[in-house]
Amino acid sequence: LQAYETFRKSCGSQGLLVGEATTMEQVLPRDVNPPRKAEGFSVDMARNETEGFQVIVSTAKGIGRNVRVNVTDLKGPRGASFPADGVSVGVVGYTAATNSAAACGRGCNVRTSGGVGYRRELALPQMGWWPDSILDFLPSCTVEEKDFQGFWVSLKSPDGLLPGTYSGSVRVTADGLRTVLIPLQVRIRDFNLPMTSPLPIIIPFSPNYRDYQGRDFWRRKDDKEAPIHVWKSRMREWTDFLADHFVSLDDLYHGGKDRLEWMLPELKHLKEQGRLGPVNVCYFFPDGGFDDAAHARWREKGLPRVKAAYAFLKENDLLDTAYVYGGDELGANAFPLLGKMIADVRKACPGLPIATTVHDDSYGVTSGLDYDWFIRTSQDYEANCGACMDGARARGRKAWWYICDGPYPPFANLYLQSAAIEGRLLMGAMTQRMKPDGFMMYQMAIWNSKRPITSGPYTDWESETKTIRLGSADWVHCGPDGKPLSTIRFENFRDGIEDLMYAKLLEAKVQEKKDKSDDWTRRAQAALAVPQSVMDTMRNYTDDPKCLYSWRKEMADLIEGKN
């Protein structure tokens, strides 16, 4: 409890103790490091952007009951106000990492030092309660004695908001304890972020469960109160929630037209909004081997499914973003058959991009595989940067990257116990530096829990566990009555895409500029290259939010044309 005593002394309070953390940090209830005392919160953001911070609350003595965090009215220039409906506060919920959950594998981060050079290695995870869910349905919570309790404050700035500084306070209250007010300033930049990601993204949202340890989770397939069923009553809410995080409804492994018919209202809704992303026509895979008989079976059973799904999307005017996925992580022994299957798809579905995660280091250059999108893990992508990848792109092919149960540390991932900043760096700074043509994750809602989350902050949510890489396909959670709940990891994923938007806006300004010899252009080009203080290599990158904020501020200043 040394961290708690240090924090209590720094606050010098006899009641509520209030600290601060960025959204890129995880503060455990019994953390070994004390939070920073909250002197004043500040947010720097563009219009049409979401940013935030964390308020960390403890008490000088005893249990804190009915602890609440609110944001007062934010007043800005010329009488303008930050819209109240753009401010939300959620209790940070905790998920248990237990020995039983970690019993069948290895591979989680151990954080030992800050800054570039931060050591990451394979190791057993730290057992205990980890911050993850954002419980925005809870108006307050109990703070246990000597715990650090997080509250997630999120601000969404609308288009048309006057640029300038908006001032107010963060108010922290609890039964029987004196209210604490901390100053808050929100700086609104004079530019807008777009509605959709500059990077194509494929992340299926098709809630299901996997029991890797042979346990019977109440036979959830038939349990109508399990999260995998309850969410469906709020399908439109989920569709919009995901799109707000730049994820379009999709399913990587579905069987064809039946699934698309079920998704059709949501796909049309997204298209009407201008937020429809990639849509998989159908999944195809060799059936029972890689010989001529397998090809015959494919042409008899598999190809008609692809054709029917393609025709369905065409008649519903949804082919603009369609693709077909096939050959999941297969090796060279499958390449001859895959070549024939690809030729069949090209003939049956003209103009349809074909995507794959086959293990082809040549990206089709020497293998001859005629895929359009070659998707490799971020680790493989880095290793394969060179002549073959350049040659594939010269032929019009795309080189994407993806994450799944790997890659392992030191590469960035979004495990429950990964440093929260990793997801933001992966989608922002690392994407800007490495230039993948797209991003894929195989699933975001493997829900092993028996019931939705209805209380907190300590939840009974069971994070998806294939190994001790906890939560590798569990980025969003199911709340009361199927309500969408975000996580710290999913918020950082979205924030990274917004960082990438800053870079793309700055790139456009550089391209428009005729005189490229001045100091502004030099600074812009340095920012677009991504400073080494943020990212040295894919294995060596910062865990210090200050480094990322500094890079982001430099890009914002340059976009606004400031020296």
Side-chain angles (χ1 to χ4, degrees), residues 37 54 60 66 68 101 128 130 143 186 202 213 264 352 367 385-386 401 406 417 422 465 470 484 511 549-550:
K37 178 185 177 182
Q54 293 185 76
N66 196 29
R68 293 173 179 260
W130 280 76
V143 178
V186 180
I202 295 172
Q213 298 176 43
L264 182 61
L352 183 66
S367 69
C385 283
W401 67 16
Q417 296 176 317
E422 290 185 24
T465 304
L470 298 173
Q511 292 171 0
Y549 282 141
S550 177

Side-chain angles (χ1 to χ4, degrees), residues 59-218:
T59 63
K61 185 178 181 180
I63 296 173
R65 302 188 186 281
N66 196 29
V67 178
R68 293 173 179 260
V69 172
N70 306 104
V71 175
T72 66
D73 291 344
L74 295 169
K75 301 299 184 182
R78 293 184 286 177
S81 296
F82 195 97
D85 62 1
V87 181
S88 64
V89 180
V91 172
V92 173
Y94 301 98
T95 298
T98 65
N99 281 313
S100 61
C104 58
R106 67 189 183 111
C108 196
N109 291 4
V110 170
R111 299 195 288 284
T112 58
S113 62
V116 170
Y118 171 114
R119 182 166 65 88
R120 296 169 169 86
E121 61 186 31
L122 290 174
L124 288 172
Q126 178 179 328
M127 298 300 107
W129 293 98
W130 280 76
D132 198 31
S133 307
I134 299 173
L135 310 179
D136 56 7
F137 63 90
L138 287 180
S140 65
C141 73
T142 296
V143 178
E144 299 295 336
E145 187 172 7
K146 299 182 180 180
D147 272 7
F148 301 134
Q149 175 60 51
F151 290 80
W152 191 274
V153 181
S154 182
L155 298 102
K156 171 70 174 180
S157 56
D159 291 346
L161 190 62
L162 280 175
T165 300
Y166 292 73
S167 300
S169 298
V170 172
R171 180 191 293 118
V172 186
T173 63
D175 291 349
L177 298 176
R178 181 178 297 177
T179 296
V180 177
L181 287 173
I182 308 292
L184 167 62
Q185 288 197 331
V186 180
R187 179 181 182 182
I188 301 299
R189 297 286 187 161
D190 194 14
F191 59 90
N192 289 10
L193 297 190
M195 286 197 313
T196 57
S197 170
L199 183 76
I201 292 172
I202 295 172
I203 309 180
F205 176 74
S206 51
N208 56 60
Y209 71 94
R210 291 182 184 170
D211 181 4
Y212 289 105
Q213 298 176 43
R215 295 177 294 179
D216 181 1
F217 286 104
W218 292 15

Side-chain angles (χ1 to χ4, degrees), residues 374-427:
F374 287 89
I375 310 173
R376 306 299 307 277
T377 68
S378 55
Q379 180 177 1
D380 291 334
Y381 179 96
E382 181 196 46
N384 293 330
C385 283
C388 278
M389 187 182 291
D390 292 343
R393 283 177 167 148
R395 291 171 167 83
R397 304 300 186 240
K398 303 294 185 183
W400 290 39
W401 67 16
Y402 77 105
I403 59 173
C404 51
D405 303 324
Y408 309 139
F411 291 91
N413 210 310
L414 277 80
Y415 307 135
L416 174 65
Q417 296 176 317
S418 297
I421 196 174
E422 290 185 24
R424 185 163 185 167
L425 288 169
L426 180 66
M427 300 310 300

Side-chain angles (χ1 to χ4, degrees), residues 276-287:
L276 181 64
V279 179
N280 184 25
V281 166
C282 187
Y283 175 58
F284 69 87
F285 195 83
D287 177 17

Side-chain angles (χ1 to χ4, degrees), residues 222-395:
D222 301 318
D223 181 0
K224 299 307 179 184
E225 295 183 32
I228 58 170
H229 299 297
V230 173
W231 75 275
K232 296 173 184 176
S233 66
R234 294 182 181 239
M235 189 166 184
R236 178 57 51 85
E237 190 175 345
W238 274 100
T239 298
D240 288 335
F241 165 75
L242 296 173
D244 288 343
H245 291 75
F246 309 113
V247 176
S248 181
L249 193 65
D250 195 19
D251 190 342
L252 200 61
Y253 297 105
H254 75 87
K257 182 181 175 183
D258 289 348
R259 185 69 172 179
L260 293 174
E261 287 177 333
W262 181 73
M263 295 167 58
L264 182 61
E266 307 310 307
L267 299 178
K268 288 187 172 182
H269 171 68
L270 288 170
K271 183 168 183 177
E272 289 170 1
Q273 292 182 321
R275 302 201 291 178
L276 181 64
V279 179
N280 184 25
V281 166
C282 187
Y283 175 58
F284 69 87
F285 195 83
D287 177 17
F290 308 122
D291 54 12
D292 290 342
H295 185 218
R297 286 192 295 273
W298 146 255
R299 299 197 70 174
E300 178 186 357
K301 297 180 180 179
L303 184 58
R305 289 191 294 106
V306 176
K307 291 170 65 175
Y310 174 84
F312 177 78
L313 288 180
K314 184 176 181 179
E315 71 184 40
N316 283 283
D317 195 25
L318 291 170
L319 275 184
D320 290 349
T321 61
Y323 69 98
V324 63
Y325 176 68
D328 188 85
E329 296 186 336
L330 288 173
N333 60 331
F335 288 2
L337 173 57
L338 287 173
K340 297 175 184 177
M341 296 170 75
I342 293 167
D344 293 336
V345 172
R346 293 224 180 274
K347 183 177 180 180
C349 309
L352 183 66
I354 307 175
T356 190
T357 53
V358 296
H359 298 303
D360 182 1
D361 291 342
S362 80
Y363 291 77
V365 172
T366 59
S367 69
L369 286 178
D370 189 25
Y371 283 104
D372 297 282
W373 304 346
F374 287 89
I375 310 173
R376 306 299 307 277
T377 68
S378 55
Q379 180 177 1
D380 291 334
Y381 179 96
E382 181 196 46
N384 293 330
C385 283
C388 278
M389 187 182 291
D390 292 343
R393 283 177 167 148
R395 291 171 167 83

